[in-house]
Short mmCIF file of all heavy atoms in Angstrom, two decimals:
data_model
loop_
_atom_site.label_atom_id
_atom_site.label_comp_id
_atom_site.label_asym_id
_atom_site.label_seq_id
_atom_site.Cartn_x
_atom_site.Cartn_y
_atom_site.Cartn_z
N MET A 1 6.65 0.90 -12.21
CA MET A 1 6.16 0.08 -11.18
C MET A 1 4.60 0.26 -10.97
O MET A 1 4.11 1.42 -11.10
CB MET A 1 6.89 0.35 -9.85
CG MET A 1 6.36 -0.43 -8.70
SD MET A 1 7.35 -0.23 -7.22
CE MET A 1 7.58 1.55 -7.02
N LYS A 2 3.88 -0.80 -10.85
CA LYS A 2 2.41 -0.77 -10.73
C LYS A 2 2.05 -1.45 -9.45
O LYS A 2 2.45 -2.56 -9.12
CB LYS A 2 1.76 -1.54 -11.86
CG LYS A 2 1.50 -0.63 -13.08
CD LYS A 2 0.30 0.21 -12.82
CE LYS A 2 -0.34 0.68 -14.14
NZ LYS A 2 -1.41 1.64 -13.88
N VAL A 3 1.27 -0.73 -8.62
CA VAL A 3 0.82 -1.26 -7.23
C VAL A 3 -0.72 -1.44 -7.29
O VAL A 3 -1.41 -0.60 -7.89
CB VAL A 3 1.21 -0.26 -6.13
CG1 VAL A 3 0.72 -0.75 -4.79
CG2 VAL A 3 2.71 -0.07 -6.16
N ALA A 4 -1.19 -2.50 -6.73
CA ALA A 4 -2.65 -2.75 -6.57
C ALA A 4 -2.90 -3.21 -5.20
O ALA A 4 -2.03 -3.78 -4.55
CB ALA A 4 -3.12 -3.82 -7.59
N LEU A 5 -4.15 -3.02 -4.75
CA LEU A 5 -4.48 -3.48 -3.49
C LEU A 5 -6.00 -3.80 -3.40
O LEU A 5 -6.76 -3.32 -4.18
CB LEU A 5 -4.07 -2.56 -2.27
CG LEU A 5 -4.39 -1.09 -2.43
CD1 LEU A 5 -5.80 -0.85 -2.03
CD2 LEU A 5 -3.44 -0.29 -1.49
N GLU A 6 -6.35 -4.59 -2.40
CA GLU A 6 -7.68 -5.04 -2.21
C GLU A 6 -8.21 -4.34 -0.89
O GLU A 6 -7.92 -4.75 0.24
CB GLU A 6 -7.80 -6.55 -2.06
CG GLU A 6 -9.25 -7.02 -1.88
CD GLU A 6 -10.18 -6.48 -2.91
OE1 GLU A 6 -10.03 -6.88 -4.02
OE2 GLU A 6 -11.09 -5.73 -2.49
N ARG A 7 -8.84 -3.19 -1.04
CA ARG A 7 -9.26 -2.41 0.15
C ARG A 7 -10.28 -3.14 1.05
O ARG A 7 -10.20 -2.84 2.21
CB ARG A 7 -9.79 -1.02 -0.28
CG ARG A 7 -8.91 -0.13 -1.04
CD ARG A 7 -9.48 1.25 -1.21
NE ARG A 7 -9.37 2.06 -0.11
CZ ARG A 7 -10.34 2.65 0.58
NH1 ARG A 7 -11.58 2.49 0.18
NH2 ARG A 7 -10.11 3.37 1.63
N ASP A 8 -11.07 -4.00 0.48
CA ASP A 8 -12.01 -4.66 1.25
C ASP A 8 -11.41 -5.53 2.35
O ASP A 8 -12.11 -5.84 3.34
CB ASP A 8 -12.93 -5.50 0.36
CG ASP A 8 -13.86 -4.67 -0.49
OD1 ASP A 8 -13.97 -3.43 -0.26
OD2 ASP A 8 -14.45 -5.24 -1.43
N TRP A 9 -10.27 -5.98 2.09
CA TRP A 9 -9.58 -6.88 3.07
C TRP A 9 -8.63 -6.19 3.98
O TRP A 9 -8.03 -6.82 4.90
CB TRP A 9 -8.83 -8.01 2.35
CG TRP A 9 -9.67 -8.93 1.40
CD1 TRP A 9 -11.01 -9.01 1.58
CD2 TRP A 9 -9.23 -9.69 0.40
NE1 TRP A 9 -11.43 -9.89 0.53
CE2 TRP A 9 -10.40 -10.35 -0.16
CE3 TRP A 9 -7.96 -10.04 -0.12
CZ2 TRP A 9 -10.29 -11.24 -1.26
CZ3 TRP A 9 -7.87 -10.90 -1.19
CH2 TRP A 9 -9.06 -11.46 -1.76
N CYS A 10 -8.49 -4.86 3.82
CA CYS A 10 -7.54 -4.12 4.67
C CYS A 10 -8.07 -4.09 6.11
O CYS A 10 -9.26 -3.82 6.27
CB CYS A 10 -7.33 -2.75 4.07
SG CYS A 10 -6.45 -1.61 5.13
N ILE A 11 -7.21 -4.28 7.05
CA ILE A 11 -7.60 -4.29 8.44
C ILE A 11 -7.17 -2.97 9.13
O ILE A 11 -7.31 -2.84 10.34
CB ILE A 11 -7.16 -5.46 9.24
CG1 ILE A 11 -5.54 -5.59 9.23
CG2 ILE A 11 -7.71 -6.78 8.72
CD1 ILE A 11 -5.03 -6.59 10.19
N GLY A 12 -6.57 -2.04 8.36
CA GLY A 12 -6.29 -0.73 8.91
C GLY A 12 -5.07 -0.68 9.90
O GLY A 12 -5.03 0.18 10.72
N ALA A 13 -4.18 -1.63 9.68
CA ALA A 13 -3.05 -1.67 10.59
C ALA A 13 -2.07 -0.52 10.46
O ALA A 13 -1.38 -0.09 11.35
CB ALA A 13 -2.28 -2.94 10.44
N GLY A 14 -2.01 0.03 9.26
CA GLY A 14 -1.25 1.22 8.99
C GLY A 14 0.28 1.03 8.71
O GLY A 14 0.96 2.04 8.47
N ASN A 15 0.66 -0.20 8.64
CA ASN A 15 2.10 -0.44 8.40
C ASN A 15 2.54 0.18 7.05
O ASN A 15 3.66 0.66 6.86
CB ASN A 15 2.42 -1.91 8.47
CG ASN A 15 2.24 -2.50 9.78
OD1 ASN A 15 2.07 -1.75 10.75
ND2 ASN A 15 2.24 -3.77 9.86
N CYS A 16 1.66 0.01 6.01
CA CYS A 16 1.98 0.53 4.70
C CYS A 16 2.23 2.04 4.65
O CYS A 16 3.15 2.49 4.02
CB CYS A 16 0.96 0.12 3.73
SG CYS A 16 -0.72 0.78 4.18
N ALA A 17 1.36 2.72 5.30
CA ALA A 17 1.49 4.23 5.35
C ALA A 17 2.77 4.68 6.10
O ALA A 17 3.42 5.65 5.75
CB ALA A 17 0.26 4.86 5.95
N LEU A 18 3.06 3.87 7.14
CA LEU A 18 4.33 4.20 7.81
C LEU A 18 5.64 3.92 7.03
O LEU A 18 6.63 4.59 7.04
CB LEU A 18 4.35 3.43 9.15
CG LEU A 18 3.45 3.90 10.25
CD1 LEU A 18 3.39 2.94 11.38
CD2 LEU A 18 3.78 5.30 10.70
N THR A 19 5.49 2.77 6.30
CA THR A 19 6.67 2.31 5.53
C THR A 19 6.89 3.07 4.21
O THR A 19 8.01 3.33 3.82
CB THR A 19 6.52 0.77 5.26
OG1 THR A 19 6.32 0.08 6.49
CG2 THR A 19 7.78 0.23 4.64
N ALA A 20 5.76 3.31 3.48
CA ALA A 20 5.91 4.03 2.17
C ALA A 20 4.87 5.11 2.10
O ALA A 20 3.83 4.99 1.48
CB ALA A 20 5.66 2.98 1.11
N PRO A 21 5.13 6.19 2.86
CA PRO A 21 4.08 7.31 2.94
C PRO A 21 3.87 8.00 1.61
O PRO A 21 2.81 8.72 1.52
CB PRO A 21 4.73 8.22 4.03
CG PRO A 21 6.17 7.95 4.08
CD PRO A 21 6.28 6.44 3.72
N ALA A 22 4.79 7.88 0.64
CA ALA A 22 4.48 8.50 -0.61
C ALA A 22 3.51 7.79 -1.44
O ALA A 22 3.02 8.26 -2.43
CB ALA A 22 5.88 8.71 -1.43
N VAL A 23 3.34 6.49 -1.10
CA VAL A 23 2.48 5.66 -1.92
C VAL A 23 1.18 5.31 -1.19
O VAL A 23 0.10 5.20 -1.86
CB VAL A 23 3.20 4.36 -2.26
CG1 VAL A 23 2.41 3.42 -3.08
CG2 VAL A 23 4.55 4.65 -2.94
N PHE A 24 1.19 5.17 0.14
CA PHE A 24 -0.03 4.77 0.92
C PHE A 24 -0.35 5.73 1.95
O PHE A 24 0.52 6.38 2.57
CB PHE A 24 0.19 3.39 1.57
CG PHE A 24 0.78 2.33 0.62
CD1 PHE A 24 2.05 1.92 0.59
CD2 PHE A 24 -0.20 1.71 -0.27
CE1 PHE A 24 2.49 0.91 -0.24
CE2 PHE A 24 0.33 0.66 -1.09
CZ PHE A 24 1.58 0.28 -1.07
N ASP A 25 -1.59 5.83 2.16
CA ASP A 25 -2.13 6.64 3.32
C ASP A 25 -3.26 5.92 3.94
O ASP A 25 -3.62 4.87 3.41
CB ASP A 25 -2.60 8.09 2.87
CG ASP A 25 -2.71 9.05 4.01
OD1 ASP A 25 -2.44 8.68 5.18
OD2 ASP A 25 -3.05 10.21 3.78
N GLN A 26 -3.92 6.42 4.98
CA GLN A 26 -5.09 5.74 5.60
C GLN A 26 -6.18 6.68 5.58
O GLN A 26 -6.00 7.92 5.90
CB GLN A 26 -4.72 5.29 6.97
CG GLN A 26 -3.88 4.13 7.12
CD GLN A 26 -3.55 3.77 8.56
OE1 GLN A 26 -2.69 4.31 9.20
NE2 GLN A 26 -4.35 2.85 9.12
N ASP A 27 -7.35 6.21 5.33
CA ASP A 27 -8.62 7.03 5.44
C ASP A 27 -8.78 7.54 6.83
O ASP A 27 -8.73 6.72 7.77
CB ASP A 27 -9.78 6.13 4.92
CG ASP A 27 -11.02 7.02 4.78
OD1 ASP A 27 -11.39 7.69 5.76
OD2 ASP A 27 -11.52 7.00 3.66
N PRO A 28 -8.93 8.81 7.05
CA PRO A 28 -9.07 9.32 8.34
C PRO A 28 -10.34 8.90 9.10
O PRO A 28 -10.38 8.89 10.30
CB PRO A 28 -9.15 10.92 8.20
CG PRO A 28 -9.43 11.08 6.77
CD PRO A 28 -8.96 9.91 6.06
N ASP A 29 -11.33 8.42 8.33
CA ASP A 29 -12.51 7.93 8.96
C ASP A 29 -12.53 6.49 9.47
O ASP A 29 -12.91 6.17 10.58
CB ASP A 29 -13.75 8.08 8.03
CG ASP A 29 -14.03 9.52 7.71
OD1 ASP A 29 -13.78 10.37 8.66
OD2 ASP A 29 -14.37 9.87 6.58
N ASP A 30 -11.99 5.57 8.59
CA ASP A 30 -12.03 4.17 8.95
C ASP A 30 -10.65 3.51 8.92
O ASP A 30 -10.54 2.27 9.22
CB ASP A 30 -12.90 3.41 7.99
CG ASP A 30 -12.53 3.56 6.58
OD1 ASP A 30 -11.50 4.02 6.27
OD2 ASP A 30 -13.38 3.16 5.77
N ALA A 31 -9.60 4.28 8.71
CA ALA A 31 -8.15 3.76 8.74
C ALA A 31 -7.83 2.80 7.53
O ALA A 31 -6.77 2.26 7.57
CB ALA A 31 -7.80 3.11 10.12
N VAL A 32 -8.78 2.61 6.71
CA VAL A 32 -8.53 1.74 5.62
C VAL A 32 -7.54 2.44 4.62
O VAL A 32 -7.50 3.66 4.39
CB VAL A 32 -9.80 1.38 4.78
CG1 VAL A 32 -9.55 0.68 3.49
CG2 VAL A 32 -10.70 0.47 5.70
N VAL A 33 -6.73 1.51 4.08
CA VAL A 33 -5.60 2.04 3.19
C VAL A 33 -6.10 2.90 2.02
O VAL A 33 -7.19 2.58 1.47
CB VAL A 33 -4.78 0.94 2.67
CG1 VAL A 33 -5.57 -0.06 1.79
CG2 VAL A 33 -3.57 1.35 2.01
N VAL A 34 -5.34 3.97 1.61
CA VAL A 34 -5.67 4.78 0.40
C VAL A 34 -4.36 4.63 -0.43
O VAL A 34 -3.32 4.90 0.06
CB VAL A 34 -5.92 6.21 0.84
CG1 VAL A 34 -6.15 7.08 -0.44
CG2 VAL A 34 -7.14 6.29 1.62
N LEU A 35 -4.59 4.26 -1.66
CA LEU A 35 -3.47 4.21 -2.62
C LEU A 35 -3.23 5.58 -3.26
O LEU A 35 -4.05 6.01 -3.98
CB LEU A 35 -3.70 3.14 -3.68
CG LEU A 35 -2.58 2.84 -4.63
CD1 LEU A 35 -1.27 2.44 -3.90
CD2 LEU A 35 -3.06 1.84 -5.67
N LEU A 36 -2.19 6.32 -2.79
CA LEU A 36 -1.92 7.59 -3.26
C LEU A 36 -1.40 7.63 -4.72
O LEU A 36 -1.55 8.57 -5.41
CB LEU A 36 -0.94 8.28 -2.35
CG LEU A 36 -1.29 8.47 -0.89
CD1 LEU A 36 -0.15 9.09 -0.07
CD2 LEU A 36 -2.58 9.35 -0.81
N ASP A 37 -0.58 6.59 -5.01
CA ASP A 37 0.12 6.61 -6.35
C ASP A 37 0.15 5.12 -6.83
O ASP A 37 0.89 4.30 -6.32
CB ASP A 37 1.52 7.15 -6.22
CG ASP A 37 2.18 7.32 -7.53
OD1 ASP A 37 1.66 6.89 -8.51
OD2 ASP A 37 3.25 7.93 -7.50
N GLU A 38 -0.69 4.75 -7.86
CA GLU A 38 -0.67 3.45 -8.34
C GLU A 38 0.48 3.09 -9.20
O GLU A 38 0.74 1.95 -9.63
CB GLU A 38 -2.05 3.02 -8.96
CG GLU A 38 -2.31 3.83 -10.26
CD GLU A 38 -3.72 3.43 -10.83
OE1 GLU A 38 -4.60 3.04 -10.06
OE2 GLU A 38 -3.83 3.60 -12.05
N SER A 39 1.16 4.18 -9.67
CA SER A 39 2.32 4.05 -10.57
C SER A 39 3.52 4.76 -10.01
O SER A 39 3.97 5.66 -10.58
CB SER A 39 2.09 4.47 -11.97
OG SER A 39 0.97 3.71 -12.51
N PRO A 40 4.03 4.35 -8.82
CA PRO A 40 5.09 5.13 -8.17
C PRO A 40 6.41 5.00 -8.95
O PRO A 40 6.64 3.92 -9.60
CB PRO A 40 5.15 4.54 -6.78
CG PRO A 40 4.46 3.25 -6.83
CD PRO A 40 3.52 3.27 -7.97
N PRO A 41 7.33 5.95 -8.74
CA PRO A 41 8.65 5.77 -9.40
C PRO A 41 9.38 4.70 -8.80
O PRO A 41 9.24 4.20 -7.67
CB PRO A 41 9.33 7.14 -9.13
CG PRO A 41 8.60 7.65 -7.84
CD PRO A 41 7.23 7.13 -7.89
N GLU A 42 10.45 4.23 -9.52
CA GLU A 42 11.29 3.10 -9.11
C GLU A 42 12.00 3.41 -7.74
O GLU A 42 12.35 2.49 -7.07
CB GLU A 42 12.33 2.78 -10.21
CG GLU A 42 11.79 2.02 -11.36
CD GLU A 42 11.17 0.60 -10.95
OE1 GLU A 42 11.85 -0.07 -10.20
OE2 GLU A 42 10.08 0.32 -11.45
N THR A 43 12.19 4.61 -7.49
CA THR A 43 12.82 5.03 -6.16
C THR A 43 12.01 4.55 -5.01
O THR A 43 12.48 4.47 -3.93
CB THR A 43 13.11 6.54 -6.08
OG1 THR A 43 11.81 7.22 -6.44
CG2 THR A 43 14.13 6.98 -7.14
N GLU A 44 10.67 4.24 -5.26
CA GLU A 44 9.85 3.76 -4.20
C GLU A 44 9.76 2.28 -4.08
O GLU A 44 9.05 1.74 -3.21
CB GLU A 44 8.38 4.37 -4.36
CG GLU A 44 8.24 5.82 -4.14
CD GLU A 44 8.54 6.21 -2.70
OE1 GLU A 44 8.24 5.50 -1.76
OE2 GLU A 44 9.16 7.34 -2.52
N ARG A 45 10.40 1.55 -4.96
CA ARG A 45 10.21 0.13 -4.97
C ARG A 45 10.61 -0.59 -3.71
O ARG A 45 9.89 -1.40 -3.15
CB ARG A 45 11.10 -0.49 -6.14
CG ARG A 45 10.87 -2.02 -6.25
CD ARG A 45 11.53 -2.63 -7.55
NE ARG A 45 10.93 -2.18 -8.75
CZ ARG A 45 9.91 -2.85 -9.36
NH1 ARG A 45 9.48 -3.99 -8.76
NH2 ARG A 45 9.48 -2.41 -10.44
N ALA A 46 11.74 -0.19 -3.11
CA ALA A 46 12.15 -0.91 -1.81
C ALA A 46 11.14 -0.63 -0.79
O ALA A 46 10.80 -1.51 -0.01
CB ALA A 46 13.58 -0.39 -1.45
N ALA A 47 10.64 0.57 -0.65
CA ALA A 47 9.65 0.94 0.36
C ALA A 47 8.38 0.18 0.22
O ALA A 47 7.73 -0.35 1.08
CB ALA A 47 9.38 2.47 0.37
N VAL A 48 7.96 0.09 -1.16
CA VAL A 48 6.75 -0.68 -1.46
C VAL A 48 6.92 -2.18 -1.13
O VAL A 48 6.00 -2.82 -0.52
CB VAL A 48 6.29 -0.52 -2.88
CG1 VAL A 48 5.22 -1.48 -3.25
CG2 VAL A 48 5.88 0.93 -3.15
N GLU A 49 8.06 -2.72 -1.40
CA GLU A 49 8.29 -4.17 -1.12
C GLU A 49 8.33 -4.41 0.43
O GLU A 49 7.80 -5.35 0.90
CB GLU A 49 9.64 -4.63 -1.74
CG GLU A 49 9.54 -4.71 -3.21
CD GLU A 49 10.75 -5.12 -3.93
OE1 GLU A 49 11.91 -5.12 -3.27
OE2 GLU A 49 10.72 -5.50 -5.11
N GLN A 50 8.88 -3.42 1.14
CA GLN A 50 8.83 -3.51 2.61
C GLN A 50 7.35 -3.45 3.09
O GLN A 50 6.96 -4.17 4.04
CB GLN A 50 9.61 -2.34 3.28
CG GLN A 50 11.10 -2.60 3.29
CD GLN A 50 11.88 -1.66 4.05
OE1 GLN A 50 11.35 -0.56 4.44
NE2 GLN A 50 13.10 -1.92 4.45
N ALA A 51 6.62 -2.55 2.54
CA ALA A 51 5.20 -2.43 2.95
C ALA A 51 4.40 -3.72 2.70
O ALA A 51 3.58 -4.15 3.47
CB ALA A 51 4.50 -1.25 2.19
N ILE A 52 4.68 -4.32 1.60
CA ILE A 52 4.01 -5.65 1.21
C ILE A 52 4.43 -6.71 2.27
O ILE A 52 3.53 -7.42 2.82
CB ILE A 52 4.48 -6.10 -0.19
CG1 ILE A 52 3.85 -5.18 -1.25
CG2 ILE A 52 4.07 -7.58 -0.41
CD1 ILE A 52 4.35 -5.46 -2.65
N GLY A 53 5.68 -6.67 2.69
CA GLY A 53 6.08 -7.70 3.66
C GLY A 53 5.52 -7.43 5.05
O GLY A 53 5.41 -8.36 5.87
N ARG A 54 5.16 -6.15 5.32
CA ARG A 54 4.65 -5.75 6.71
C ARG A 54 3.17 -5.65 6.74
O ARG A 54 2.63 -5.34 7.83
CB ARG A 54 5.29 -4.44 7.10
CG ARG A 54 6.78 -4.44 7.29
CD ARG A 54 7.45 -3.19 7.56
NE ARG A 54 8.83 -3.34 7.77
CZ ARG A 54 9.69 -2.26 7.83
NH1 ARG A 54 9.20 -1.05 7.89
NH2 ARG A 54 10.95 -2.47 8.03
N CYS A 55 2.51 -5.87 5.66
CA CYS A 55 1.00 -5.86 5.68
C CYS A 55 0.44 -7.08 6.20
O CYS A 55 0.52 -8.20 5.63
CB CYS A 55 0.50 -5.65 4.25
SG CYS A 55 -1.42 -5.67 4.14
N PRO A 56 -0.17 -7.07 7.40
CA PRO A 56 -0.66 -8.28 8.01
C PRO A 56 -1.85 -8.95 7.28
O PRO A 56 -2.10 -10.12 7.52
CB PRO A 56 -1.09 -7.77 9.40
CG PRO A 56 -1.36 -6.39 9.31
CD PRO A 56 -0.44 -5.85 8.20
N ALA A 57 -2.46 -8.19 6.51
CA ALA A 57 -3.61 -8.71 5.71
C ALA A 57 -3.28 -9.19 4.29
O ALA A 57 -4.10 -9.73 3.56
CB ALA A 57 -4.73 -7.78 5.62
N ALA A 58 -1.97 -8.94 3.93
CA ALA A 58 -1.49 -9.32 2.63
C ALA A 58 -2.38 -8.80 1.50
O ALA A 58 -2.82 -9.63 0.52
CB ALA A 58 -1.30 -10.90 2.55
N VAL A 59 -2.72 -7.57 1.42
CA VAL A 59 -3.62 -7.03 0.46
C VAL A 59 -2.95 -6.22 -0.66
O VAL A 59 -3.63 -5.75 -1.63
CB VAL A 59 -4.72 -6.21 1.11
CG1 VAL A 59 -5.55 -6.99 2.09
CG2 VAL A 59 -4.19 -4.93 1.74
N ILE A 60 -1.69 -6.05 -0.43
CA ILE A 60 -0.90 -5.17 -1.42
C ILE A 60 -0.23 -6.03 -2.39
O ILE A 60 0.44 -7.08 -2.06
CB ILE A 60 0.07 -4.25 -0.73
CG1 ILE A 60 -0.57 -3.45 0.43
CG2 ILE A 60 0.78 -3.35 -1.70
CD1 ILE A 60 0.46 -2.78 1.31
N ARG A 61 -0.30 -5.78 -3.71
CA ARG A 61 0.41 -6.51 -4.79
C ARG A 61 1.22 -5.62 -5.54
O ARG A 61 0.83 -4.42 -5.90
CB ARG A 61 -0.58 -7.33 -5.59
CG ARG A 61 -1.24 -8.42 -4.91
CD ARG A 61 -2.14 -9.28 -5.81
NE ARG A 61 -3.21 -8.40 -6.20
CZ ARG A 61 -3.76 -8.35 -7.43
NH1 ARG A 61 -3.25 -9.09 -8.36
NH2 ARG A 61 -4.73 -7.59 -7.75
N LEU A 62 2.40 -6.09 -6.04
CA LEU A 62 3.19 -5.40 -7.00
C LEU A 62 2.96 -6.03 -8.42
O LEU A 62 3.15 -7.25 -8.59
CB LEU A 62 4.66 -5.57 -6.60
CG LEU A 62 5.68 -4.56 -7.00
CD1 LEU A 62 5.22 -3.08 -6.89
CD2 LEU A 62 7.06 -4.86 -6.29
N LEU A 63 2.39 -5.25 -9.33
CA LEU A 63 2.00 -5.83 -10.64
C LEU A 63 3.16 -5.77 -11.64
O LEU A 63 3.16 -6.48 -12.59
CB LEU A 63 0.85 -5.08 -11.20
CG LEU A 63 -0.46 -5.09 -10.36
CD1 LEU A 63 -1.61 -4.37 -10.97
CD2 LEU A 63 -0.86 -6.55 -10.02
N SER A 64 4.06 -4.84 -11.50
CA SER A 64 5.24 -4.78 -12.28
C SER A 64 6.36 -4.13 -11.61
O SER A 64 6.15 -3.51 -10.56
CB SER A 64 4.91 -4.03 -13.60
OG SER A 64 4.62 -2.72 -13.34
S1 SF4 B 1 -0.57 -2.49 6.15
FE1 SF4 B 1 -2.11 -3.74 4.95
S2 SF4 B 1 -3.81 -3.97 6.44
FE2 SF4 B 1 -2.52 -2.27 7.21
S3 SF4 B 1 -3.44 -0.38 6.36
FE3 SF4 B 1 -1.90 -1.04 4.89
S4 SF4 B 1 -2.95 -2.32 3.42
FE4 SF4 B 1 -4.28 -2.12 5.25
#
């Protein structure tokens, strides 16, 4: 699985880090998303798909 995101459009809502904490975190300075693992294991797919659905800025994409 491949994950990509557009950090410039992130509004720092934090839903992704709450939903998939193994894949996403937030920068402690500006709360912008940090991609911890751009190739997470398949066991994270459901959490990543939930994070995509819960991102209010729609900046997370699943590439494979
Ligand atoms: S849920 Fe979306 S807007 Fe919120 S921190 Fe994550 S990527 Fe940014």
Side-chain angles (χ1 to χ4, degrees):
M1 176 172 48
K2 272 280 203 189
V3 178
L5 48 80
E6 181 53 66
R7 295 190 82 237
D8 290 347
W9 298 343
C10 172
I11 60 171
N15 294 350
C16 57
L18 290 173
T19 306
V23 181
F24 306 104
D25 198 0
Q26 287 178 275
D27 189 302
D29 293 327
D30 58 13
V32 171
V33 64
V34 176
L35 184 56
L36 298 175
D37 188 351
E38 66 181 27
S39 301
E42 283 299 317
T43 51
E44 290 293 326
R45 182 175 290 272
V48 169
E49 288 178 346
Q50 281 190 343
I52 290 171
R54 293 176 182 172
C55 175
V59 302
I60 307 168
R61 287 182 297 140
L62 204 47
L63 301 180
S64 65

